[in-house]
Amino acid sequence: TASARPILDLETATQRLGYSEVARIEEGFARLAVKGRLRRSDFRTGFLNSIAGAPVPEAFASALFDGFDTSASGHITVQEFVCGLAIIRKGTPEERLRLLFAVYDADRDKRLSDRDLARFAHALQDGRAGATRDQAVDDALKALSAQGPVVGFERFARWAQRNMDSPLIDWVFDIEQQLESELRGVGPSHGSASFHMV
């Protein structure tokens, strides 16, 4: 797998989040990391599950981990973690779409295939039963697939901007709201031994 250029550099991420928020993120990261690196399992169980307040499906967590792991090293550094959270919390619409694209692009070939999209759609559906949501994911897959067997970032971005309420897009805003609650000290991880930033 090829290494991707980070969507946001650490300096810009720090400017957007502020030094005190970055310090809290770094402290939370240090509690979860082993030798300065966050493993896939700890990202899911220690971070995502704690901010969600419930278990996050493994396939979903793995895909988001890959989006944060811009170096394709198999672990997340504190810099990648801070930058990923900055995109979710304070990113421009294009930066958020680039993160979504990176999450979906499992083989990091800068194109979304039907298989990439189906893999992530399955991850979204895992543990989130509901005919309406399943139909919305199916509709999104059909709309993106209608644009051709392979979708580049520009096509994906155009589709996403017209379909911000699609389950393939709106989950990133759900995470943003959960992180906001965490930062205000009212999130589900308070009182637990997992990731917390206050």
Side-chain angles (χ1 to χ4, degrees):
T1 55
S3 177
R5 192 175 132 260
I7 298 165
L8 198 64
D9 63 60
L10 184 59
E11 183 179 341
T12 304
T14 302
Q15 289 171 351
R16 290 193 191 163
L17 292 170
Y19 291 105
S20 63
E21 188 170 331
V22 169
R24 287 194 307 268
I25 291 169
E26 288 172 342
E27 288 171 18
F29 180 90
R31 282 190 287 279
L32 298 176
V34 175
K35 297 182 181 178
R37 298 174 175 178
L38 189 59
R39 298 177 304 201
R40 189 176 301 270
S41 61
D42 296 326
F43 180 77
R44 177 181 179 220
T45 59
F47 172 63
L48 288 178
N49 288 353
S50 71
I51 66 164
V56 173
E58 187 172 343
F60 176 85
S62 183
L64 187 56
F65 179 93
D66 289 341
F68 274 51
D69 179 18
T70 58
S71 65
S73 63
H75 62 266
I76 297 173
T77 64
V78 69
Q79 293 85 1
E80 289 170 326
F81 192 68
V82 168
C83 291
L85 291 179
I87 292 167
I88 290 172
R89 297 247 314 111
K90 307 277 184 172
T92 66
E94 180 178 337
E95 289 164 348
R96 288 180 179 182
L97 290 177
R98 286 194 181 280
L99 176 63
L100 287 172
F101 190 85
V103 166
Y104 300 150
D105 185 15
D107 55 10
R108 297 178 188 250
D109 64 357
K110 300 189 186 331
R111 318 176 293 171
L112 300 182
S113 66
D114 294 348
R115 187 172 32 184
D116 288 332
L117 293 170
R119 177 184 149 269
F120 192 78
H122 176 72
L124 275 179
Q125 292 168 333
D126 185 16
R128 294 184 179 198
T132 304
R133 185 173 186 84
D134 291 351
Q135 186 60 50
V137 169
D138 287 344
D139 291 347
L141 288 174
K142 286 177 190 165
L144 279 165
S145 296
Q147 297 184 32
V150 175
V151 177
F153 175 74
E154 298 304 323
R155 269 196 205 169
F156 171 76
R158 283 192 302 274
W159 174 84
Q161 289 166 346
R162 292 188 309 268
N163 295 278
M164 293 303 281
D165 60 343
S166 167
L168 291 175
I169 305 299
D170 70 357
W171 64 267
V172 77
F173 299 103
D174 292 343
I175 290 175
E176 176 192 17
Q177 291 170 350
Q178 291 163 340
L179 283 169
E180 184 65 32
S181 293
E182 175 74 18
L183 288 168
R184 286 193 317 252
V186 297
S189 73
H190 293 279
S192 70
S194 56
F195 184 85
H196 52 282
M197 297 187 291
V198 293

